[in-house]
Amino acid sequence: MDVIVLGGGLMGTASAYFLARRGARVTLVERHRVGTGATVASFGNIRRTGRHLSQLPLAHRSRERWAEAEALLGRDVEFRATGHIRLIFDEGSLADMRAYAEAARPWGFDLEELGPSDIRARFPGLGPEAIAASFSPRDGSANPRLVAPAFADAARRLGVNIVEEARVDRIGFTGSGFRVESSKGVFAAECLLNTAGAWGARVAALFGETVPIEARGPQMGVTEPLPHRISPVVGIWTRSKAYGAYLRQVERGNVVFGGAAERVPVDLDPGHAVADPARLPEQLRAVVRLVPALAQVAVIRTWSGCEGYVRDMLPVMGRSATTPGLFHAFGFCGHGFQLGPGVGDAMAELIVTGRCETPLDDFRIDRPSLAA
């Protein structure tokens, strides 16, 4: 089986790798360099807390692949199961957390509830005003700058042809397969996997499939190196976007943070948002609520990127509804990093075997919630 993968972010490189492991002959085509789209703009969060319930089977599958990542890829991508804590500052958010925890339990996901004394004892310095928190001990983080290149290198070792800096000029369906004309040559295969991220809807539209999607850029930042004091990934349960910050401290001591600031619209040409320094104070106020000790630290860099947000906030994943041999995996709405290895594993299973043990029906491209 020959497969062309369009897009070289985490979804595309992981799919190429797992397809090759299943014996497929794969060509991956990326218009820039691998891992330079939504993946490199990612916070690096590996969380299952708060996910749409129908995503949890895929998230569980992906969590198992994250645990195997170093052995699979032959290098450390800085996956660390440090735990994921979400602080709670009001009764309404506590009720939201408890309702989610109850709903998620039948899906195989258990959240631990922490009281104020538990937070102080186990995670001193976090949210001194918090009334509670949720804790998921097996979640954590990884380095988004390392993981897509690592999957790409591992895929190359399995024989995948990775074509970078290739402008795609035309994509066609011949009736028996697909033909992709690019600035780096012409490629043909019986299957095409669309992992083009925020550009995925453009590819789908070529085959008569409309997906309502918006391209938006997050605002991310990182502090100067500090003594290492924060072990888990830290977030918040809140209904207010103004407080919706998250952060983690990397092993080198820097604190990476995001959230609180509204994601900005992105023009897909050229397809990259620019961080706005004027929005930084708003973010830092939310960050300091989570960790007051960060009030006086220096921010050394900010950045943004381009993520695709589908109207119903669920990804598009599975078979095309119009074209045999066409598959989609795009539109992960700013929370696809944790899912990436699982997406690649699941799509490879679906393409090569015709079935997938992980339920994907809620993500199909012709679901009613995407109808015009």
Side-chain angles (χ1 to χ4, degrees), residues 335-356:
H335 50 249
F337 185 76
Q338 190 276 345
L339 298 176
V343 169
D345 193 20
M347 292 308 299
E349 181 188 14
L350 178 63
I351 292 169
V352 174
T353 72
R355 59 175 182 79
C356 184

Side-chain angles (χ1 to χ4, degrees), residues 186-224:
V186 178
F187 309 100
E190 60 192 278
C191 294
L192 178 69
L193 173 57
N194 170 19
T195 58
W199 293 264
R202 289 185 173 183
V203 177
L206 298 175
F207 300 94
E209 298 180 292
T210 300
V211 177
I213 190 171
E214 292 184 355
R216 293 190 170 272
Q219 175 141 319
M220 307 299 301
V222 63
T223 73
E224 62 186 319

Side-chain angles (χ1 to χ4, degrees), residues 41-290:
S42 171
F43 172 66
N45 200 358
I46 297 175
R47 67 154 178 91
R48 289 169 291 170
T49 306
R51 288 197 175 276
H52 191 282
L53 296 176
S54 64
Q55 285 188 5
L56 284 175
L58 182 60
H60 295 328
R61 181 173 186 158
S62 199
R63 173 58 181 78
E64 298 311 309
R65 299 295 84 77
W66 278 113
E68 302 166 348
E70 186 169 355
L72 291 174
L73 304 178
R75 71 170 74 168
D76 181 13
V77 294
E78 298 181 8
F79 166 67
R80 303 289 185 267
T82 56
H84 183 271
I85 186 171
R86 291 181 74 170
L87 299 168
I88 300 167
F89 293 88
D90 62 86
E91 293 293 338
S93 298
L94 178 57
D96 290 345
M97 184 277 287
R98 287 173 172 168
Y100 180 82
E102 183 67 22
R105 194 167 293 115
W107 294 80
F109 184 54
D110 289 317
L111 271 181
E112 182 180 353
E113 182 178 328
L114 307 181
S117 60
D118 299 317
I119 299 169
R120 286 193 296 271
R122 295 169 62 175
F123 307 107
L126 297 188
E129 299 177 1
I131 64 171
S134 67
F135 186 60
S136 175
R138 295 185 66 245
D139 290 335
S141 63
N143 191 329
R145 294 184 174 274
L146 299 180
V147 66
F151 267 112
D153 287 347
R156 286 189 186 97
R157 293 195 294 271
L158 294 175
V160 173
N161 179 25
I162 296 182
V163 185
E164 298 178 281
E165 297 181 343
R167 182 190 69 251
V168 174
D169 299 314
R170 183 172 299 176
I171 305 170
F173 179 60
T174 66
S176 59
F178 298 86
R179 178 183 170 91
V180 175
E181 299 177 17
S182 81
S183 59
K184 293 288 186 74
V186 178
F187 309 100
E190 60 192 278
C191 294
L192 178 69
L193 173 57
N194 170 19
T195 58
W199 293 264
R202 289 185 173 183
V203 177
L206 298 175
F207 300 94
E209 298 180 292
T210 300
V211 177
I213 190 171
E214 292 184 355
R216 293 190 170 272
Q219 175 141 319
M220 307 299 301
V222 63
T223 73
E224 62 186 319
L226 303 165
H228 202 284
R229 298 286 186 272
I230 307 170
S231 176
V233 178
V234 184
I236 184 173
W237 287 94
T238 179
R239 301 173 185 178
S240 170
K241 291 183 179 180
Y243 291 125
Y246 43 87
L247 61 94
R248 64 185 178 95
Q249 188 171 25
V250 302
E251 292 168 359
R252 293 169 291 281
N254 309 77
V255 175
V256 183
F257 62 88
E262 194 74 35
R263 289 173 169 84
V264 298
V266 181
D267 185 345
L268 287 178
D269 301 302
H272 198 281
V274 177
D276 180 1
R279 300 162 69 217
L280 190 56
E282 171 187 9
Q283 282 189 295
L284 292 177
R285 283 192 293 272
V287 165
V288 168
R289 190 185 194 202
L290 302 181

